[in-house]
Structures are given as structure tokens and as C-alpha cells.
Amino acid sequence: MARYNKIFAGPVTERLPQVQEALAAAATLPGLAVVFNGSGHFAIAGASTVEKVFIAQDNYLQMKGVDDAWASGDTMIGMEMLDEQFFNVRVPTGSNIAKGARLTTNATGRFVPVAAGNRVIAIAEEAYNNTTGSDQLVRVRAAKGHLAAA
């Protein structure tokens, strides 16, 4: 079970994030990084992605939680990563995240510490050592410019 119950985390002065809607190319968990594919669908971002990254939102329209995946073919909501907003993103087990750490995506759209030369997509807003044995949600904000390299 995830540590948070929402993917969009504020601030409270901004009630709703900017979003795009598209069909999910595959089953997608909220909090994963997604990008538009060649068919205009949301696909899970891979390692070293260079496309514009969105965060898969929880399916609040059907009252689903953060651990309920969007099914392939569903109209999914992807939140634009604006650097003044906070998001709770999926971090795989075995990841030790420090506050202020620069994060990128792995091959499954989860956020991991950036390696030298990789694109920085987000900055961790909290420290969390994920030794739980499952994905956990960690609070981040977008890296300024979205194209920074480590």
C-alpha cells in the first residue's frame, strides 16, 4: 500500500494541476512517468526519456486509489509537471532517496536517482529509503527546465 493517497500534492493555493487526457497504451499505475507515443496515447516513460514527461494521476473520476492501475485503452489523465507544484511519484523498492536528490526514470517509468549524464526530471522533496519490498510514493517537484543533465 502506498504512503500517500493522492498523486497531486499541491500546494493548497493551486487546487488542480494542468492535465492532458489520452488513451493509455498499457496498464499504468498512478505516479508513473508517462509520455505521448507515436499514436498520441500515453505510454510509460522509459529510461533516459527525452520526451515531455507527465505524471499518471489517480483515477479519481471512478473513485480509484493510487494503487489501482489505469487499464490499457482507458482515457487516462496525465499531469503536467510544473516546478511550483508537488507530486507523489513511484519509487521502486531498493531506492534510497535523499531530500534534494535529482531523479530520472527507469525502464518502467519509476523514479530513481539520476546517474551521471542522464536527464534530471524531478527533485525529491523528502528523504525516503524504500526497503518495503514494493513501490512507494515519494514527494517531488519538477526539475527546472525538464532538460537538465546530471
Side-chain angles (χ1 to χ4, degrees):
M1 178 171 201
R3 298 171 52 230
Y4 294 109
N5 63 2
K6 290 288 177 195
I7 300 301
F8 178 65
V12 295
T13 56
E14 295 188 37
R15 294 185 26 187
L16 300 171
Q18 297 297 309
V19 299
Q20 298 276 334
E21 291 182 356
L23 297 178
T28 306
L29 284 167
L32 291 182
V34 295
V35 296
F36 283 113
N37 67 12
S39 301
H41 299 136
F42 275 131
I44 295 170
S48 304
T49 188
V50 294
E51 290 88 1
K52 181 176 181 176
V53 173
F54 297 83
I55 305 298
Q57 188 168 10
D58 45 295
N59 189 352
Y60 66 91
L61 298 171
Q62 293 185 349
M63 296 191 292
K64 303 246 177 154
V66 294
D67 290 323
D68 297 318
W70 294 88
S72 177
D74 278 358
T75 299
M76 186 170 78
I77 301 170
M79 296 179 288
E80 294 198 33
M81 294 186 70
L82 303 176
D83 62 5
E84 68 271 9
Q85 296 175 333
F86 298 106
F87 301 91
N88 296 318
V89 299
R90 291 203 176 265
V91 171
T93 191
S95 296
N96 188 7
I97 306 297
K99 183 175 173 117
R102 298 176 300 170
L103 305 174
T104 192
T105 53
N106 67 11
T108 62
R110 287 156 177 82
F111 286 78
V112 295
V114 72
N118 285 350
R119 176 182 176 202
V120 179
I121 297 172
I123 306 296
E125 286 293 317
E126 65 176 330
Y128 189 74
N129 185 10
N130 188 2
T131 58
T132 65
S134 63
D135 290 352
Q136 292 298 319
L137 295 172
V138 172
R139 178 110 357 125
V140 303
R141 72 171 58 225
K144 294 200 186 263
H146 301 277
L147 297 175

